[in-house]
Amino acid sequence: MPPVQKEFSTLASCPLFHGAGETLLRSLPELEGAGRARFAPGQVVYDPLHFRRCLGVVLSGQLQVTKGALAVSVLGPGDLFGAAALYSDEVEFAATITALRPSRCLMLEQSLVDRLLAEHGQIRENYLRYLTGRVRFLSGRLQTLAQPGAEGKLARYLLASGGEALSCSATQLCQRLGISRASLYRAFSALEDSGLITRRGKTITVADPTGLEMVL
């Protein structure tokens, strides 16, 4: 698929732009207040210390969303980020978003989002629907991630990656999951002994996603 057509298809799949029309979507990246950005693996895309009042759409790659030490979700092409903090004065609403792999995003400044919401009723409706669903999802995810149990926390984190192999140091995992090294290694051993995951160095692969879900 040609790059321009692939970008259009990705924007069309974004929940904010469902039903927005081909003309708008094809012109969107070139509008004033819109810009494409590239991020290398491990690069911070968005966080409370580098707070930007803009809305992002993932065009390619994967982004990891964390809140404090908790891994909340993984974003892929067509997913939005920055919506919850766009119109808030509280910077703590902004999560930390880091690129898991080479990624490209479309960044929409608040002034452009304002115009889109004012001029397009379908986008305004989509935005409200998206925010409602996202708040429910994140509230549930944070609640479950905060529950005790290193095995459960590790299982949720690995499942949130979409089944992709992850390369991450033990120190990073401990920070993201909010557990000690001893607890992490016990969780590794339990999940490996059960045949649910495999490890080679820093790379962790989910061998049995269905079985891993049973740990939750």
Side-chain angles (χ1 to χ4, degrees), residues 64-152:
Q64 173 74 64
V65 182
T66 58
K67 192 73 172 175
L70 300 177
V72 178
S73 62
V74 174
L75 305 180
D79 287 333
L80 284 169
F81 60 89
L86 189 63
Y87 295 102
S88 172
D89 292 328
E90 302 295 332
V91 297
E92 58 265 30
F93 278 107
T96 297
I97 302 176
T98 308
L100 287 176
R101 56 183 61 185
S103 302
R104 195 163 57 93
C105 302
L106 179 65
M107 312 299 286
L108 308 176
E109 298 294 337
Q110 183 177 5
S111 58
L112 175 56
V113 177
D114 288 342
R115 296 201 307 273
L116 293 173
L117 294 177
E119 297 172 6
H120 302 276
Q122 184 63 59
I123 292 179
R124 185 164 58 250
E125 181 179 335
N126 291 343
Y127 186 73
L128 293 174
R129 184 181 296 114
Y130 170 81
L131 283 180
T132 300
R134 195 65 184 167
V135 167
R136 289 175 179 170
F137 169 79
L138 292 177
S139 295
R141 179 59 61 86
L142 287 171
Q143 182 178 8
T144 54
L145 283 172
Q147 292 175 349
E151 290 178 37

Side-chain angles (χ1 to χ4, degrees), residues 70 143-157 177-180 183-184 186-188 191 215-216:
L70 300 177
Q143 182 178 8
T144 54
L145 283 172
Q147 292 175 349
E151 290 178 37
K153 289 183 178 182
L154 179 58
R156 290 185 192 282
Y157 180 80
L177 300 179
I179 60 178
S180 67
S183 295
L184 177 63
R186 283 196 294 270
F188 275 145
L191 298 183
V215 177
L216 306 182

Side-chain angles (χ1 to χ4, degrees), residues 9 38 42 44 49 58 60 62 71 73 90 108 150 172 179 183 189:
S9 298
R38 294 181 180 274
V44 173
L49 297 179
V58 182
S60 63
Q62 278 189 332
S73 62
E90 302 295 332
L108 308 176
Q172 289 174 317
I179 60 178
S183 295
S189 296

Side-chain angles (χ1 to χ4, degrees), residues 3-75:
V4 173
Q5 181 60 32
K6 186 174 182 179
E7 184 174 276
F8 166 74
S9 298
T10 300
L11 290 175
S13 71
C14 176
L16 183 62
F17 300 118
H18 288 170
E22 181 175 346
T23 300
L24 173 62
L25 293 186
R26 291 195 181 280
S27 65
L28 183 62
E30 313 308 326
L31 294 178
E32 181 180 355
R36 299 175 182 86
R38 294 181 180 274
F39 302 95
Q43 184 176 355
V44 173
V45 177
Y46 198 96
D47 71 7
L49 297 179
H50 303 87
F51 187 72
R52 298 178 60 186
R53 290 195 180 279
C54 65
L55 193 63
V57 183
V58 182
L59 297 177
S60 63
Q62 278 189 332
L63 307 180
Q64 173 74 64
V65 182
T66 58
K67 192 73 172 175
L70 300 177
V72 178
S73 62
V74 174
L75 305 180

